[in-house]
Amino acid sequence: MLQYIMKGGTPLVGEVCIGGAKNAALGIIAAAVMADEPVVIENLPDVQDINVLLKAIEEIGAVVDRIDRHTVRIIGSTISTITVNSDYIRKIRASYYLLGALLGKYKQAEVALPGGCNIGTRPIDQHLKGFVALGGRYSIERGMVCVKADRLKGSHIYLDVVSVGATINVMLSAVMAEGSTILENAAKEPHVVDVANMLNSMGANIKGAGTDVIRIRGVQKLHGTEYSIIPDQIEAGTFMVAAAVTHGDIVVKNVIPKHLESISAKLAEMGCEVTEEDDAVRVVAKRRMRHTQIKTLPYPGFPTDMQPQFTVALAVAEGTSIVTESIFENRFKYVDELARMGSNIRVEGSVAVIDGVRGFTGATVSAPDLRAGAALVLAGLAADGYTVVDDISYILRGYESFDKKLQGLGAAIEMVESEREAARFKLKVG
Ligand code: UD1
């Protein structure tokens, strides 16, 4: 089994370059199959979730040509089936974007029910509500979601909850519907805006992405495009917290500082020096951090995908902090793992009460999901002694070359596959 092994205690110092946003890329790949002309996507992160989605569209007949590690050309004219059902696709959440994209283009789609990180019940009722409002019918049979429409017609849709996935899926299914769609209570995340911009570059007519009302005027056809994905807000935030928790000094490059404001503000509140440049953010943490309160909220609020990393930082901050998770109901599973490293955190429902301890001690822990896995790595890098993080397949789903990027900042970390490799690492690091 793949593991990360690390020896903590070294302040991370230097520069790190952030890749393209995974969650934008997932919507953008689905959008790409809606054109018959070639679509070139740049700044694509080379992570497991993306590679699984590319494989899935290849399996239904799209041409996927990897030009280089971060650039792909997709041709959707060769798609020969609307049924997406493979072992891989069941593992990722964003398979549901193929429902919206194929429904929008071919008026029907059958996709295996989405998997993804186990952080709550994660229903897709709002996605389905959007499809129905546009004239679709759906059924769930043998683990597949099947949607079909004789014709898709623009509609007025009000989402009951602010959902990134449902917002992107409604955009995908409505761009080629007849007439206009108004989507209210839409999610405002940067990756929603990125998917809308990409669709507009293919000839779609979407206005208002980034606000809570999105207006879509249907067009008959989408054409080819070349599009570069925005930087990943969560990868950037993870490295910002790495600086904080290891008392380091990191320049996080190739970012859009505006997308990081809620993260920067919290780190500043906790006592870090945060400076913004045009496309970089520098985080310097000279002393032990202070306690604070965090509540996860839809953008521009504090992102739920940064909750575990900040809980790790607060676990070694001075005083008592409160973290409230308001998006997913089951997102504190890593707290038991963190307890093995000496933290003092009590979880009551959706609230974690964190009594800061002086420091972590290294231990063997398991990554329960993607972001919590990354957070445990940060804890290991701050800990005294060796830490082993198991089940890192979760982390590989969303972080490209995580170990290499951390090594570039001075971290003693390696990905190992056996006891022998772990022993060799210990011998080397001393
Ligand atoms: C996306 C991100 C995930 C991030 C989350 C919130 C992807 C692939 N994943 O997930 O990393 O943590 O946004 O920023 O982009 N809900 C419903 N019904 C629905 C849809 C959602 O009740 O039909 C609820 C969810 O249970 C959750 C909330 O709405 O409580 C937000 O979920 P949503 O924004 O849809 O998250 P995802 O798109 O699954």
Side-chain angles (χ1 to χ4, degrees):
M1 195 201 329
L2 281 178
Q3 304 173 318
Y4 283 137
I5 182 165
M6 66 211 81
K7 186 174 185 192
T10 311
L12 299 192
V13 176
E15 294 183 352
V16 63
C17 208
I18 299 306
K22 169 182 82 81
N23 288 348
L26 293 166
I28 283 172
I29 291 169
V33 304
M34 297 183 75
D36 282 336
E37 293 170 6
V39 170
V40 176
I41 305 171
E42 291 162 7
N43 205 28
L44 192 73
D46 182 13
V47 294
Q48 197 63 20
D49 274 12
I50 297 300
N51 296 329
V52 165
L53 191 61
L54 288 175
K55 190 135 193 67
I57 63 166
E58 209 169 21
E59 278 179 5
I60 60 169
V63 176
V64 175
D65 180 11
R66 200 76 180 229
I67 298 171
D68 62 39
R69 190 173 181 198
H70 298 126
T71 311
V72 71
R73 185 191 296 107
I74 294 172
I75 305 176
S77 60
T78 45
I79 289 176
S80 52
T81 169
I82 48 85
T83 304
V84 191
N85 183 17
S86 65
D87 284 346
Y88 331 100
I89 201 72
R90 267 176 250 128
K91 298 202 176 98
I92 69 166
R93 185 87 201 135
S95 54
Y96 54 43
Y97 290 143
L98 292 177
L99 278 173
L102 296 175
L103 177 69
K105 186 178 184 189
Y106 299 111
K107 311 288 175 275
Q108 52 176 326
E110 293 179 5
V111 179
L113 265 174
C117 282
N118 181 13
I119 52 178
T121 49
R122 307 188 85 176
I124 57 162
D125 56 304
Q126 298 303 306
H127 305 230
L128 298 173
K129 171 178 161 169
F131 300 151
V132 170
L134 294 168
R137 320 178 276 289
Y138 74 87
S139 59
I140 298 178
E141 295 160 24
R142 297 179 302 280
M144 303 285 285
V145 188
C146 311
V147 281
K148 210 171 183 162
D150 300 326
R151 53 196 276 237
L152 289 171
K153 221 165 152 285
S155 180
H156 196 138
I157 303 166
Y158 187 97
L159 293 181
D160 300 328
V161 290
V162 181
S163 158
V164 171
T167 301
I168 292 179
N169 239 338
V170 168
M171 290 197 303
L172 292 167
S173 52
V175 279
M176 288 204 271
E178 296 163 35
S180 291
T181 296
I182 299 176
L183 178 62
E184 301 213 47
N185 202 25
K188 297 180 276 201
E189 267 70 2
H191 38 291
V192 170
V193 179
D194 210 35
V195 176
N197 286 342
M198 188 270 185
L199 282 164
N200 282 343
S201 78
M202 293 167 75
N205 185 342
I206 304 174
K207 296 205 168 88
T211 74
D212 48 20
V213 184
I214 298 180
R215 290 165 204 277
I216 305 157
R217 191 178 285 274
V219 295
Q220 290 211 318
K221 220 172 150 152
L222 295 174
H223 53 68
T225 187
E226 280 186 24
Y227 194 82
S228 182
I229 295 169
I230 53 164
D232 196 302
Q233 176 203 25
I234 307 301
E235 187 195 10
T238 302
F239 282 100
M240 290 166 74
V241 177
V245 78
T246 65
H247 296 167
D249 177 350
I250 301 181
V251 181
V252 183
K253 295 178 79 173
N254 185 33
V255 298
I256 300 174
K258 173 106 191 97
H259 294 168
L260 301 171
E261 272 171 358
S262 62
I263 298 166
S264 301
K266 268 301 154 199
L267 287 173
E269 241 176 80
M270 289 160 64
C272 295
E273 282 170 31
V274 184
T275 39
E276 288 181 5
E277 288 158 34
D278 281 352
D279 65 349
V281 175
R282 179 176 177 193
V283 180
V284 184
K286 290 196 181 128
R287 58 190 80 82
R288 190 172 177 209
M289 278 160 295
R290 289 191 290 272
H291 61 98
T292 190
Q293 306 213 354
I294 292 178
K295 182 172 185 180
T296 62
L297 286 169
Y299 190 83
F302 187 89
T304 173
D305 284 357
M306 285 304 301
Q307 180 261 97
Q309 300 89 318
F310 268 79
T311 299
V312 162
L314 292 170
V316 286
E318 193 201 323
T320 302
S321 301
I322 310 274
V323 173
T324 306
E325 172 57 59
S326 77
I327 311 284
F328 293 112
E329 72 269 24
N330 198 7
R331 213 167 186 176
F332 283 123
K333 279 188 293 181
Y334 63 93
V335 163
D336 289 343
E337 300 299 305
L338 213 52
R340 296 172 198 268
M341 302 180 71
S343 68
N344 186 0
I345 305 175
R346 212 170 55 248
V347 176
E348 282 166 21
S350 60
V351 178
V353 180
I354 305 162
D355 281 320
V357 295
R358 276 257 149 221
F360 296 118
T361 46
T364 295
V365 291
S366 252
D369 62 69
L370 164 60
R371 305 303 171 185
L376 290 171
V377 171
L378 299 188
L381 294 172
D384 186 28
Y386 293 99
T387 292
V388 172
V389 179
D390 271 338
D391 283 345
I392 63 164
S393 55
Y394 282 113
I395 304 175
L396 302 177
R397 292 173 55 166
Y399 289 88
E400 179 180 316
S401 307
F402 197 37
D403 51 339
K404 300 276 176 316
K405 290 188 183 185
L406 289 165
Q407 283 163 8
L409 297 165
I413 181 170
E414 246 172 50
M415 185 157 65
V416 294
E417 225 179 335
S418 62
E419 288 282 324
R420 211 187 153 116
E421 283 179 16
R424 203 176 304 141
F425 171 83
K426 286 186 179 172
L427 209 60
K428 189 170 82 188
V429 171

